[in-house]
Amino acid sequence: MTALEVICALAHDSAVAIVITDAKVEKPGPTILYANAAFSRLVGREAAELVGSNPRFMQGRETRRPALDQFAQALAAGERFHGYLTNYRPDGSKYVAEIDCHPLRNAEGRVEYFLAFEREVVRRRGRPWGGTASRFEPASVSDESLTPDLKLLGAFQRR
Ligand SMILES: Cc1cc2nc3c(=O)[nH]c(=O)nc-3n(C[C@H](O)[C@H](O)[C@H](O)COP(=O)(O)O)c2cc1C
């Protein structure tokens, strides 16, 4: 089994949406190599449709360019991106996605893949959450929905 196959097998039944791309980040890349069932449900497309496409298809009118530029810079630098983007489903519905995207490096330190944990966040009623910039909180408010394994991986954890 390759390392990628192991990761895909682990991601398969995860309740958290997971998508893996190659490391070619310039347009028309990155290309989706794997998406688990939770990711298909989140974005409203079958895994077979997703594989071979690039994640930009989720963008629309309200997807903020500054956030995409920040994402692009992190990818080009081989760094983690943890942020929020407005994504669109094929039926036109939109949602705010919390995206925690990690570079996966080989033994030589070269980035081979990117793996993102993604989840929908909802606007909170009442007081803002977490201070100034955070107008959103995760739909699953606590980390309880994350399996202990994902917690160990540090998914969605602040650093
Ligand atoms: C693993 C992974 C997941 C991504 N998920 C999303 C996503 O859900 N929504 C989105 O708009 N862009 C997503 N992107 C970012 C786009 O693919 C692209 O990198 C971004 O639009 C910035 O590049 P650009 O300025 O060339 O468009 C993802 C990228 C990677 C590597």
Side-chain angles (χ1 to χ4, degrees):
M1 251 181 152
T2 63
L4 184 63
E5 284 167 343
V6 172
I7 293 167
C8 295
L10 286 170
H12 192 70
D13 295 322
S14 167
V16 175
I18 295 176
V19 61
I20 299 172
T21 69
D22 65 14
K24 299 191 193 95
V25 293
E26 289 90 31
K27 273 183 187 155
T31 301
I32 295 177
L33 303 176
Y34 172 79
N36 71 356
F39 190 84
S40 290
R41 282 195 298 276
L42 176 69
V43 307
R45 287 173 203 259
E46 297 293 327
E49 270 183 84
L50 293 168
V51 171
S53 68
N54 85 63
R56 289 185 195 84
F57 68 82
M58 291 178 270
Q59 296 166 11
R61 213 171 49 86
E62 289 178 33
T63 310
R64 290 182 57 246
R65 193 62 239 177
L68 292 175
D69 288 343
Q70 222 188 324
F71 203 158
Q73 275 166 25
L75 294 177
E79 289 167 2
R80 180 192 188 196
F81 170 82
H82 187 185
Y84 300 86
L85 287 177
T86 299
N87 274 350
Y88 290 78
R89 299 190 179 93
D91 65 5
S93 62
K94 65 177 181 200
Y95 62 98
V96 176
E98 180 180 8
I99 300 177
D100 186 4
C101 184
H102 300 254
L104 302 183
R105 295 176 185 280
N106 63 16
E108 286 83 49
R110 193 166 47 82
V111 178
E112 283 209 21
Y113 308 105
F114 287 96
L115 180 151
F117 302 103
E118 303 202 8
R119 62 181 170 182
E120 183 172 353
V121 296
V122 291
R123 207 178 281 270
R124 190 185 192 177
R125 290 170 196 276
R127 258 187 271 149
W129 169 74
T132 48
S134 310
R135 284 163 51 235
F136 302 100
E137 72 169 7
S140 47
V141 173
S142 73
D143 284 333
E144 279 158 36
S145 67
L146 293 178
T147 64
D149 287 349
L150 281 167
K151 249 182 155 174
L152 283 172
L153 282 171
F156 304 123
Q157 309 294 303
R158 305 267 156 211
R159 275 192 201 142

